[in-house]
Amino acid sequence: MKKLTISAFVALLSISGMSVPTASYAQEITLQEAMDELSSAKDKGWVGEQPNGYLGVVKSSAQAKQIAEQINEARRQEYARIAEENDIAVADVELLAGKRAIERTQPGHFVKVDGQWKKKP
């Protein structure tokens, strides 16, 4: 897996209005395909942001799981890199990223609050 740049990391956390290309889920999708499909997956309520800095699956499907797995692996690597560069704990980076991701989540998309999935008002 490639290391992500800060701009790619920000793109992972941002919510865009991109349309989703159709992909075959018989095989694993790539990180780029997952990133391309993230906005639509959020629009459809398949995945949402969690306080731990990672995506969670709201409506279980192979497609939603693969999107979350690919993006979460990239996030894990980026959080570890950021933590190492700044001599801080990975857990601190995860919590900060989770807080920012939830703050940036657009209304109507799912976020996990107190262990429950809720649509952001």
Side-chain angles (χ1 to χ4, degrees):
M1 176 96 23
K2 295 181 200 173
K3 282 196 171 184
L4 295 177
T5 63
I6 293 297
S7 61
F9 176 67
V10 171
L12 286 173
L13 297 179
S14 68
I15 317 281
S16 69
M18 297 186 325
S19 63
V20 174
T22 304
S24 168
Y25 290 91
Q27 297 178 348
E28 221 174 279
I29 63 172
T30 66
L31 174 58
Q32 186 59 55
E33 289 169 331
M35 289 174 59
D36 291 346
E37 296 187 29
L38 179 57
S39 180
S40 180
K42 286 182 174 184
D43 288 344
K44 293 176 183 176
W46 295 352
V47 297
E49 294 292 347
Q50 302 179 100
N52 66 1
Y54 298 99
L55 286 176
V57 176
V58 179
K59 293 182 185 173
S60 187
S61 71
Q63 188 174 3
K65 287 177 187 176
Q66 286 188 31
I67 291 167
E69 286 172 5
Q70 286 290 336
I71 291 175
N72 285 343
E73 180 56 30
R75 287 182 180 186
R76 260 185 222 81
Q77 290 179 11
E78 187 64 8
Y79 297 161
R81 186 191 66 74
I82 291 168
E84 186 176 324
E85 278 185 5
N86 294 284
D87 197 29
I88 58 176
V90 173
D92 292 339
V93 177
E94 291 170 334
L95 291 175
L96 179 58
K99 181 178 185 243
R100 286 183 180 168
I102 288 171
E103 288 170 355
R104 294 176 178 169
T105 295
Q106 71 182 47
H109 285 185
F110 282 94
V111 294
K112 198 169 234 184
V113 178
D114 298 326
Q116 300 292 318
W117 287 113
K118 298 182 180 188
K119 281 190 177 183
K120 188 171 178 183

